[in-house]
Amino acid sequence: MRNTLAPALLAVLLAGGATPAQAGNQQYEPLAASVQAALHTAVADQAPLDTSFQRSPERARWLAEMSQRLARRIPDETYRSELLRAVHYEATRAGLDPQLVLGLIQVESGFKKYALSTAGARGYMQVMPFWTRLIGTPDSNLFHMRTNLRFGCTILRHYVDIEKGDLFRALGRYNGSLGRAEYPNLVRAAWERNWSYDSIRLAQNP
């Protein structure tokens, strides 16, 4: 993706500061029954969080590094660790790079759990409520950490698959701005400048 970020926005991202929320506005599109069923199954799995951080020195190092980077935004160390573990688990489970998801969360909500956009998108990954009717259940709470991350990662993976691996277009779909460069560039800049960390090896070893 070609970098077309305005200098002021890029400077903020480089500094790791707060960025204007680019709240997601995913567009409703009819889903084939098989796709809808597969996505429903993906979000319904309530397996416990991966405990491999306790067994893997590399993942423990990742957690410590990401926690240090996120400390200014989320001072509570326990909650920060829980969020990072959940991001890593849900991203890896969906076949996404955890650092990409951290970049997307930074751009979408600034790591605000209860972020609410004017379009109605909710939570860390700014998921639109229509997704709970399509692939969730009536009690799906998009302000719940793992529910929000599960939906967000599942939806982004769905868009990546639709776009045959084209992340630029998948991110555009996620944000409801397909074909425009600003949002994919913002996410890429946040990902590369603030959250880059040996992403290929971590993403490929769940």
Side-chain angles (χ1 to χ4, degrees):
M1 289 180 289
R2 185 166 52 89
N3 190 350
T4 58
L5 282 173
L9 274 176
L10 182 57
V12 171
L13 286 167
L14 283 168
T19 60
Q22 301 289 315
N25 186 22
Q26 301 105 9
Q27 303 299 308
Y28 172 79
E29 300 176 38
L31 299 174
S34 59
V35 174
Q36 187 170 355
L39 294 176
H40 175 76
T41 299
V43 299
D45 177 17
Q46 293 301 314
L49 283 177
D50 184 8
T51 59
S52 65
F53 287 94
Q54 299 171 2
R55 304 190 305 269
S56 168
E58 178 59 27
R59 290 195 177 193
R61 188 167 69 90
W62 178 89
L63 183 62
E65 176 65 27
M66 294 302 110
S67 182
Q68 184 178 18
R69 297 184 196 184
L70 191 56
R72 184 174 55 81
R73 296 173 183 274
I74 302 179
D76 186 313
E77 183 178 1
T78 300
Y79 187 78
R80 190 168 71 242
S81 176
E82 181 185 358
L83 173 61
L84 287 168
R85 289 169 185 263
V87 167
H88 193 284
Y89 177 81
E90 297 298 343
T92 304
R93 179 180 179 276
L96 301 170
D97 189 316
Q99 287 71 245
L100 161 64
V101 174
L102 287 170
L104 185 146
I105 292 172
Q106 178 184 330
V107 172
E108 285 286 351
S109 67
F111 291 93
K112 295 178 177 64
K113 180 178 181 179
Y114 296 106
L116 180 65
S117 80
T118 55
R122 299 176 181 183
Y124 287 118
M125 295 187 72
Q126 290 290 276
V127 178
M128 291 293 285
F130 71 77
W131 284 106
T132 64
R133 298 189 296 273
L134 272 179
I135 62 174
T137 61
D139 62 349
S140 297
N141 178 6
L142 293 176
F143 289 121
H144 181 269
M145 178 198 292
R146 281 199 65 194
T147 300
N148 187 272
L149 296 174
R150 172 65 56 85
F151 271 81
C153 289
T154 300
I155 292 163
L156 181 55
R157 178 75 252 177
H158 169 60
Y159 288 145
V160 170
D161 292 342
I162 286 177
E163 295 297 342
K164 297 178 172 58
D166 186 330
L167 187 57
F168 179 92
R169 290 182 58 84
L171 288 170
R173 280 186 181 274
Y174 191 92
N175 182 249
S177 59
L178 181 62
R180 299 201 296 272
E182 180 184 9
Y183 178 79
N185 280 339
L186 282 169
V187 173
R188 179 180 178 182
W191 173 18
E192 293 182 348
R193 308 291 185 178
N194 296 328
W195 308 107
S196 177
Y197 179 93
D198 200 6
S199 58
I200 295 176
R201 180 151 57 95
L202 284 173
Q204 290 180 343
N205 288 277

